[in-house]
């Protein structure tokens, strides 16, 4: 989980290429739903899912049943990725204390730059102020993380560090979840083997992991946009280690 355009898809892909990890395809938005009666997922047959819904008495109970159904395929861990689940981080951490929550964060200036380059993604935010809408999601996501960051079950992955040192950072995550690192996880031929790699917003899944997109906001964002981001998010940026250009 993490603010949208922070690299959650990349981190998910290198994790789920492990032989012992099963990843749910796409984003479920599970903990952001108002109605679970019609919840379905392509990883589980509709008739099985319908039964799981009927048998469950709580959101946590249903998610446990979904995870167990996927785990029966023979994997050690089940991985679910929905970026905006960061907005419910405390809720999830409280109800799943034995699970590991991986929070992926990225410089909000690069997040905005990335989101604006993909019109379909950018339309997820209010028509009258898309920048303001995105910044609010980034801020609330970081605030949720800061409320949970001292928990043993929470891991922070900074996109910039991950891109510069993918092997080192991935090994830290694998150690924390107590699963042995496999070299195949960092091979582009493996992590690009997903339908997500064919979607323009995730085209970098077809490339080796590198920091080439880090800091591109300096070339792509207007000064007034940068100033607004930094002014609005100064506190959260500083807490996450991102310096600003403000004097």
């Amino acid at each position: 989980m993490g603010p949208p355009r922070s690299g959650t898809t990349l981190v998910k892909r290198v994790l789920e290429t492990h032989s012992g990890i099963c990843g749910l395809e796409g984003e479920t938005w599970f903990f952001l739903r108002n109605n679970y009666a019609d919840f379905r997922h392509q990883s589980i047959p509709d008739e099985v899912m319908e039964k799981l819904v009927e048998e469950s008495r709580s959101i946590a109970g249903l998610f446990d049943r979904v995870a167990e159904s996927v785990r029966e395929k023979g994997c050690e861990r089940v991985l679910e990725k929905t970026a905006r689940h960061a907005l419910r981080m405390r809720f999830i951490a409280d109800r799943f204390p034995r699970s590991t929550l991986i929070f992926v964060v990225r410089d909000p200036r690069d997040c905005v730059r990335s989101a604006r380059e993909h019109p379909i993604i950018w339309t997820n935010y209010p028509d009258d102020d898309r920048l303001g809408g995105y910044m609010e999601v980034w801020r609330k996501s970081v605030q949720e993380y800061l409320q949970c960051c001292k928990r043993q079950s929470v891991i922070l992955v900074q996109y910039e560090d991950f891109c510069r040192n993918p092997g080192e950072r991935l090994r830290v995550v694998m150690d924390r979840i107590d699963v042995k690192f496999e070299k195949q996880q960092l091979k582009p031929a493996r992590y690009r083997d997903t339908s997500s790699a064919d979607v323009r917003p995730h085209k970098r899944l077809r490339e080796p992991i590198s920091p080439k997109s880090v800091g591109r906001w300096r070339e792509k964002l207007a000064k007034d946009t940068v100033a607004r981001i930094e002014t609005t998010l100064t506190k959260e940026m500083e807490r996450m280690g991102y310096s600003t250009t403000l004097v």
Side-chain angles (χ1 to χ4, degrees):
M1 60 187 70
R5 306 308 297 164
S6 287
T8 53
T9 299
L10 173 62
V11 174
K12 178 200 176 194
R13 282 301 301 149
V14 297
L15 286 171
E16 69 183 351
T17 56
H18 190 281
S19 59
I21 297 177
C22 296
L24 290 168
E25 186 70 24
E27 296 196 344
T28 68
W29 290 67
F30 189 90
F31 297 102
L32 299 165
R33 295 172 177 269
N34 293 319
N35 178 24
Y36 290 83
D38 61 351
F39 177 72
R40 299 292 183 271
H41 193 275
Q42 61 198 73
S43 299
I44 301 175
D46 287 351
E47 61 274 15
V48 174
M49 183 64 77
E50 185 175 345
K51 183 179 180 182
L52 297 181
V53 172
E54 290 177 353
E55 294 174 346
S56 302
R57 296 294 176 266
S58 67
I59 295 174
L62 175 57
F63 191 82
D64 278 339
R65 284 177 166 81
V66 170
E68 186 58 31
S69 180
V70 173
R71 206 169 71 85
E72 288 175 357
K73 297 177 181 179
C75 53
E76 299 174 55
R77 301 283 191 277
V78 175
L79 174 65
E80 191 280 341
K81 191 280 288 190
T82 298
R84 290 203 193 198
H85 276 168
L87 299 172
R88 303 294 310 280
M89 197 168 189
R90 282 176 289 177
F91 174 89
I92 298 170
D94 287 342
R95 284 157 180 78
F96 299 92
R98 295 176 58 196
S99 294
T100 301
L101 279 60
I102 302 173
F103 183 76
V104 185
V105 71
R106 184 184 192 182
D107 187 318
R109 294 162 296 196
D110 267 329
C111 288
V112 169
R113 186 269 309 163
S114 178
R116 289 173 65 170
E117 289 178 354
H118 304 292
I120 294 178
I121 292 175
W122 200 229
T123 58
N124 289 331
Y125 305 98
D127 292 340
D128 60 337
D129 186 10
R130 300 196 194 285
L131 176 57
Y134 179 83
M135 289 194 295
E136 187 65 11
V137 173
W138 195 93
R139 174 169 39 202
K140 288 183 177 179
S141 297
V142 169
Q143 288 174 344
E144 281 286 308
Y145 164 75
L146 292 172
Q147 291 290 323
C148 300
C149 63
K150 293 184 179 180
R151 301 191 191 206
Q152 186 62 30
S153 62
V154 174
I155 301 174
L156 173 66
V157 174
Q158 286 195 287
Y159 177 81
E160 295 82 5
D161 289 344
F162 190 82
C163 288
R164 293 186 180 104
N165 304 291
E168 177 184 321
R169 298 309 303 158
L170 180 58
R171 283 178 171 84
V172 170
V173 174
M174 300 305 291
D175 285 345
R176 288 284 299 277
I177 64 175
D178 196 26
V179 177
K180 188 176 180 180
F181 167 79
E182 294 177 349
K183 292 182 180 180
Q184 68 189 26
Q185 292 179 265
L186 292 174
K187 293 182 178 179
R190 292 300 301 271
Y191 60 71
R192 73 184 178 204
D193 186 19
T194 172
S195 58
S196 297
D198 297 325
V199 181
R200 185 167 173 262
H202 302 304
K203 63 182 180 180
R204 289 202 60 208
L205 288 177
R206 298 194 294 263
E207 307 171 5
I209 300 171
S210 77
K212 74 176 188 178
S213 65
V214 174
R216 285 187 61 204
W217 62 268
R218 293 182 176 86
E219 309 163 15
K220 300 292 185 177
L221 296 185
K223 290 183 178 179
D224 59 339
T225 300
V226 173
R228 185 180 174 196
I229 294 171
E230 294 181 354
T231 300
T232 304
L233 301 175
T234 299
K235 180 180 178 181
E236 288 77 18
M237 288 179 66
E238 290 178 348
R239 291 290 302 275
M240 300 310 298
Y242 296 111
S243 60
T244 69
T245 61
L246 296 174
V247 178

